[in-house]
Amino acid sequence: MLDIQALRNDLAGVQSRLATRAYVLDAERFTALDEERKQKQTLMQDIQAQRNAASKQIGILKSKGEDTSAIMAQVADYGAQLAAAENAYNAVQQELDEWLFTIPNLPHESVPAGADETENVEVRRVGTPRAFDFAPRDHIDVGTPLGLDAEAGAALAGARFTVLRGAVARLHRALAQFMLDMHTQRHGYVEHYTPYIVNPEILFGTGQLPKFADDMYRVLCGGDDNAKEQYLISTSEITLTNSVRERVLPLDELPLRMTAHSPCFRSEAGSYGKDVRGLIRQHQFDKVEMVQIVRPEDSYQALEEMVGHAEAVLQALELPYRVITLCTGDMGFSAAKTYDLEVWLPAQNTYREISSCSNCEDFQARRMKARFKDENGKNRLVHTLNGSGVAVGRALVAVLENHQNADGSITVPTALRPYLGGLEVIR
């Protein structure tokens, strides 16, 4: 959620920055709503002052032994007026807040302007794609004999669900365990296990609601008369970040570094026809998430560190990748700046996203009312960051494709072998 003072003090500037995200800010609507809110607030304060003055008169009249019935009736009338004014004020404030909830974050000044993914900027490439002496197969053809079963997943739950069994399931589990160990033992994150179902207000905190309701899986718990609406998480960023919701953190607790391995559930609304084959775009997938809660002055250094933490995973798995800076038109709703890591997939002869690391600055914190007490004892909003460390299913895809052999076996990356009992080759 944007700082309303930024809108009041530099409406044209905010409008211009949001335009780079292809978001048209209705400046007239904001001005009208904010002016109406101000008028309603002033009226409410005036009525309150009049009621307070009249109430004092009652005490004066009583001390003189005079009749107070007329002034008491006036106070009662002021009370009714005040209630009506408060209702009117709350209504316009709610309308303003609900509209502000739909406005994306402002891009950081270092973010390149662009309309879509074609205008993202490559930062660096790491590793050289392998030169195969045979035609590399995609992860479905490689993985199916090893236990990847798309047909079984579709039979159980429909398209974009997959069953893993045997060697592939074990490799998938090893990847998640390896990532958790790396982030907790080398990068200083604290492992968490969080709910997979959350209340709607939690999704407002991190920005999934109200804008992206169609991308979420909604569940109703209980009977028709008292059903409770909740949602399956699309990432554990939601639960980890909201762990500081409505809290004032002591300065010595920062920075917070949290990680979790969880399934993620996404309806993939609007993605019909895209990546229908394989594990690239699933309704259910696993991810190891990284979240940092930091002081504002530390957040961009933390973003660079977080990208490095995700890179370390790919380097250990011996996977070629590249880092790109997303342009303004390709960033997520809550992000002020985002780096994507894209891993090389030889069967597609291209790089595909495997991690996204974002600094949301105070955008989510304002929605969550997440603050810290600074050196001067003042309560300030924290900055929140999140990043994939990394997507487990896509890491599985990358390992299957990059480390395949001509006979259909998979050479296990050295870093993963302790998690597979020393196994060097999966057959």
Side-chain angles (χ1 to χ4, degrees):
M1 186 174 182
L2 298 183
D3 182 358
I4 197 169
Q5 294 303 327
L7 290 162
R8 289 169 179 161
N9 298 332
D10 186 19
L11 184 56
V14 171
Q15 191 176 33
S16 176
R17 292 173 68 186
L18 288 173
T20 67
R21 299 195 62 155
Y23 181 88
V24 179
L25 177 68
D26 190 341
E28 291 184 1
R29 182 183 182 189
F30 171 75
T31 300
L33 278 173
D34 199 39
E35 181 60 29
E36 184 181 0
R37 181 207 59 79
K38 182 179 178 181
Q39 292 173 358
K40 294 290 194 293
Q41 185 179 39
T42 299
L43 176 61
M44 188 170 60
Q45 292 169 343
D46 288 346
I47 295 171
Q48 180 71 60
Q50 293 177 59
R51 188 176 73 165
N52 290 344
S55 296
K56 290 180 180 179
Q57 284 295 110
I58 292 175
I60 294 171
L61 291 174
K62 282 185 175 180
S63 68
K64 295 179 179 179
E66 297 180 15
D67 180 23
T68 61
S69 57
I71 193 71
M72 289 180 69
Q74 189 178 31
V75 169
D77 182 57
Y78 282 140
Q81 292 182 46
L82 183 60
E86 287 176 341
N87 288 336
Y89 170 81
N90 289 336
V92 71
Q93 182 67 59
Q94 181 177 352
E95 183 180 355
L96 178 59
D97 287 343
E98 289 178 352
W99 179 58
L100 290 174
F101 271 129
T102 68
I103 301 174
N105 201 356
L106 297 178
H108 187 261
E109 59 186 12
S110 66
V111 175
D116 55 38
E117 62 183 13
T118 63
E119 298 185 78
N120 293 337
V121 176
E122 184 173 306
V123 179
R124 57 183 170 273
R125 295 191 182 197
V126 178
T128 302
R130 174 183 167 191
F132 288 85
D133 56 7
F134 60 93
R137 296 178 294 169
D138 72 13
H139 66 280
I140 291 293
D141 290 338
V142 173
T144 297
L146 303 176
L148 192 158
D149 194 337
E151 291 184 2
L156 290 170
R160 299 184 192 268
F161 289 93
T162 301
V163 168
L164 305 179
R165 64 170 65 91
V168 168
R170 189 181 180 194
L171 179 58
H172 184 269
R173 174 167 54 89
L175 283 163
Q177 184 64 57
F178 160 71
M179 294 174 200
L180 281 176
D181 284 351
M182 173 172 279
H183 294 317
T184 56
Q185 296 172 14
R186 286 177 48 183
H187 300 150
Y189 291 81
V190 176
E191 184 174 351
H192 288 64
Y193 173 81
T194 67
Y196 302 157
I197 300 176
V198 295
N199 298 324
E201 61 269 22
I202 300 304
L203 296 172
F204 274 93
T206 38
Q208 283 76 23
L209 292 182
K211 187 172 178 61
F212 300 105
D214 291 344
D215 295 323
M216 307 296 297
Y217 276 102
R218 183 167 62 99
V219 296
L220 294 177
C221 304
D224 293 338
D225 295 334
N226 62 345
K228 180 180 180 181
E229 181 181 87
Q230 294 181 300
Y231 290 82
L232 296 175
I233 61 171
S234 55
T235 165
S236 57
E237 168 207 342
I238 294 166
T239 46
L240 293 174
T241 306
N242 272 281
S243 67
V244 297
R245 176 185 180 86
E246 297 180 352
R247 291 178 58 193
V248 178
L249 300 168
L251 181 60
D252 60 7
E253 283 192 17
L254 299 180
L256 289 178
R257 289 182 175 182
M258 299 175 279
T259 187
H261 166 223
S262 76
C264 305
F265 304 90
R266 299 185 185 179
S267 69
E268 294 294 346
S271 68
Y272 301 104
K274 298 179 181 178
D275 298 307
V276 292
R277 174 180 167 86
L279 300 178
I280 294 295
R281 197 179 299 272
Q282 295 273 286
H283 289 309
Q284 175 185 316
F285 61 94
D286 280 35
K287 184 153 62 83
V288 172
E289 187 72 6
M290 304 176 291
V291 163
Q292 291 199 34
I293 311 295
V294 304
R295 302 184 308 168
E297 51 266 40
D298 298 333
S299 65
Y300 278 94
Q301 178 182 344
L303 177 60
E304 299 296 330
E305 291 175 351
M306 183 176 282
V307 172
H309 298 157
E311 287 188 81
V313 172
L314 301 183
Q315 291 169 14
L317 295 176
E318 304 164 41
L319 298 172
Y321 66 91
R322 68 175 185 169
V323 179
I324 62 172
T325 304
L326 298 194
C327 70
T328 53
D330 197 33
M331 288 196 306
F333 178 79
S334 297
K337 183 172 184 176
T338 298
Y339 291 104
D340 271 7
L341 277 66
E342 297 181 342
V343 70
W344 177 255
L345 296 184
Q348 295 186 22
N349 196 39
T350 192
Y351 291 93
R352 296 299 301 268
E353 179 194 339
I354 194 170
S355 172
S356 189
C357 299
S358 298
N359 185 358
C360 298
E361 297 186 356
D362 60 12
F363 186 83
Q364 293 177 324
R366 186 170 288 106
R367 297 165 79 102
M368 297 186 300
K369 299 181 176 63
R371 296 161 292 169
F372 74 103
K373 194 171 291 293
D374 69 11
E375 295 89 342
N376 300 316
K378 180 181 178 182
N379 290 344
R380 297 169 56 198
L381 293 169
V382 298
H383 278 196
T384 63
L385 301 95
N386 64 81
S388 311
V390 296
V392 181
R394 293 195 178 191
L396 177 64
V397 168
V399 168
L400 291 175
E401 292 199 8
N402 283 279
H403 295 298
Q404 64 179 293
N405 300 310
D407 64 358
S409 64
I410 303 297
T411 299
V412 178
T414 302
L416 279 184
R417 292 175 186 176
Y419 298 89
L420 292 165
L423 190 65
E424 297 182 4
V425 179
I426 295 174
R427 303 185 185 278

